[in-house]
Amino acid sequence: MVGNAVMQASHDHTESIAEGLEHMHPELAQLRDAGGDPVYLVGGAVRDLLLGRGRADVDLVVEGDAAALAERLGAKVASHERFGTAKVDLGGHEVDIASARSESYPHPGALPVVEPSADLAADLRRRDFTINAMAIPLQGEPRLIDPHGGQADLATRQLRVLHDDSFLDDPTRAIRAARYAARYAARFGFGLERHTAELLRKADLSTVSADRRAAELLRLAGELDAVRGFALLAKWGLLELRPGGAELLERVAELQAEEPWRSLSPRDRTLFAAAVGPPRGEEALAAARPARPSQAVALAAPRDGIELVLARALGAEWLDRYLLEWRDVSLEIDGSDLIRAGLEQGPALGRGLEEARRRKLDGEIDGRDEELAVALRVARGDDGVA
Ligand code: ATP
């Protein structure tokens, strides 16, 4: 039933797979002669190799014992995460090895029951989308193993689940769908296959534990196109963004592209907080109107980077000056100057320094002598402030 054009295409593909493998993952060449149980490159690395997208994380499946393969490779086994998996260093790259396994779901959203010692076919059947359910054998001639039509779906840019219960079994796959759709949309124009789109709308993320849901959302938040991914989930009716979340996400993403905001907080956790909250102290911070620099510092200093970015995105423009000017204002004196001037160690000393910094921030004093005078006066209780 295979037409000539397709035969020709698949012949070309075999060559390009060998080339792509050699080019993208030269460290895997040593597996060719490793002998023993069959080993396959699987999942995202195969998908991205066919897309020509660049190097992806390497996941290997072995029809046998993962740890035994790791040792046979003479690789340094970094850890045994759990039974049937190993992480190894191959030519400077971290590679995940897993024993082929099948999975079943005792009830919707549950963690799967893992059945080890399965073959590759069963291992591919448990996967999320056809484009992730392909493999390349690493012994002998490289070729594409594609039992679910992943290559055709890559060609037509479609995300397609393997069976109708896929989102029911594991609704986090809906978040994964948003992640891939967002990631590949701009460059490759990916969308959901029609039937998959219907199934997806019925997915129920509430059956999944909050931790697993958050972990997958955090991975989405780590994508370059995370904003688009969250918007998709909201559009599909699967995720309720926090009030104003869509705009907040856009603004946070913009801020995080520039200094001084870029380096203030982890991008993924900040976008996650912008998307789904819960609101932290940012709303109060955004509503505040500090009249003086010292008030701004008192408000902002106890807040973490995520809250600051969110508050800025909500409109607290004064935070720019806090970060660029006020945050780093420090005194020329310190505690030892006060002790040398005759004060005892103790809380009064801190109060004196604090008041001196406040006045320096507000431009009321200038220079070492004035700082010392204020700090001593306050610490000694001569000022009416301490
Ligand atoms: P990335 O390109 O972001 O590294 P990936 O496709 O490699 O993504 P991973 O989360 O690292 O994705 O998972 C590796 C492979 O494991 C996937 O390609 C998929 O085949 C399978 N997989 C991961 N999570 C699931 C899941 N929840 N349900 C089914 N299969 C999954």
Side-chain angles (χ1 to χ4, degrees):
M1 289 295 230
V2 180
N4 279 342
V6 178
M7 292 249 290
Q8 182 59 41
S10 73
H11 173 74
D12 291 348
H13 242 101
T14 303
E15 298 222 321
S16 64
I17 283 167
E19 275 168 26
L21 202 57
E22 173 60 30
H23 184 64
M24 299 310 307
H25 303 288
E27 77 279 7
L28 299 179
Q30 60 187 286
L31 281 149
R32 276 199 161 199
D33 308 314
D37 300 321
V39 187
Y40 306 87
L41 180 67
V42 294
V46 178
R47 177 197 69 221
D48 287 351
L49 195 145
L50 294 176
L51 277 175
R53 182 175 172 256
R55 207 195 141 82
D57 290 344
V58 170
D59 289 303
L60 305 183
V61 160
V62 55
E63 287 176 320
D65 181 23
L69 171 63
E71 273 150 30
R72 210 163 68 236
L73 286 167
K76 213 175 100 237
V77 178
S79 67
H80 291 262
E81 280 182 326
R82 54 180 195 272
F83 179 71
T85 68
K87 269 190 204 305
V88 299
D89 184 295
L90 277 189
H93 298 288
E94 193 179 78
V95 166
D96 281 312
I97 304 179
S99 300
R101 64 179 192 264
S102 62
E103 292 177 347
S104 58
Y105 293 82
H107 57 85
L111 281 174
V113 175
V114 173
E115 191 72 48
S117 53
D119 59 9
L120 178 77
D123 193 285
L124 294 180
R125 251 191 326 269
R126 73 178 173 83
R127 291 174 185 266
D128 49 2
F129 303 104
T130 62
I131 62 167
N132 284 341
M134 297 181 278
I136 298 172
L138 295 176
Q139 293 125 326
E141 269 312 299
R143 68 195 161 88
L144 189 67
I145 299 175
D146 180 18
H148 304 284
Q151 195 179 2
D153 285 336
L154 267 188
T156 51
R157 311 305 195 211
Q158 302 196 80
L159 282 172
R160 183 196 306 265
V161 285
L162 271 54
H163 57 88
D164 281 6
D165 287 339
S166 189
F167 293 120
L168 198 69
D169 287 344
D170 180 359
T172 67
R173 290 171 183 159
I175 305 175
R176 298 174 61 82
R179 184 155 68 84
Y180 295 125
R183 183 198 291 171
Y184 297 125
R187 198 170 141 203
F188 300 105
F190 261 86
L192 296 171
E193 176 270 329
R194 250 176 70 183
H195 184 54
T196 298
E198 283 164 21
L199 296 170
L200 183 106
R201 283 181 187 277
K202 283 183 244 146
D204 180 1
L205 278 168
S206 72
T207 64
V208 182
S209 78
D211 280 358
R212 282 184 63 212
R213 186 168 161 266
E216 207 58 59
L217 287 173
L218 203 56
R219 289 188 73 188
L220 170 60
E223 292 285 327
L224 209 59
D225 242 333
V227 174
R228 191 199 291 250
F230 280 111
L232 278 175
L233 278 177
K235 185 175 134 199
W236 296 338
L238 298 181
L239 186 71
E240 197 172 337
L241 297 178
R242 61 186 266 181
E247 300 76 41
L248 190 59
L249 268 168
E250 300 265 0
R251 259 178 284 145
V252 166
E254 278 165 26
L255 281 174
Q256 285 187 315
E258 36 180 86
E259 293 301 345
W261 299 97
R262 192 200 314 269
S263 45
L264 204 65
S265 62
R267 186 175 183 276
D268 57 351
R269 290 208 293 121
T270 311
L271 287 173
F272 177 92
V276 289
R280 305 139 73 103
E282 65 269 12
E283 284 170 0
L285 204 56
R289 297 278 174 272
R292 283 178 291 166
S294 63
Q295 289 172 346
V297 171
L299 285 165
R303 304 300 182 173
D304 68 22
I306 295 178
E307 288 169 312
L308 295 181
V309 175
L310 294 181
R312 176 63 178 82
L314 286 169
E317 287 177 17
W318 55 271
L319 283 170
D320 287 343
R321 292 192 70 191
Y322 165 71
L323 282 183
L324 295 168
E325 297 173 35
W326 305 327
R327 181 175 61 163
D328 299 322
V329 167
S330 61
L331 296 172
E332 291 175 41
I333 59 167
D334 61 23
S336 64
D337 295 303
L338 302 188
I339 289 170
R340 259 198 304 278
L343 280 184
E344 303 256 315
Q345 192 70 265
L349 212 120
R351 279 199 298 275
L353 291 172
E354 205 178 297
E355 177 60 12
R357 180 167 185 246
R358 185 193 72 70
R359 293 200 192 175
K360 180 172 184 174
L361 273 166
D362 293 343
E364 294 168 13
I365 58 171
D366 188 24
R368 187 184 162 82
D369 292 346
E370 290 183 29
E371 288 176 12
L372 196 58
V374 168
L376 285 173
R377 217 165 46 234
V378 171
R380 286 180 180 135
D382 300 342
D383 197 69
V385 177

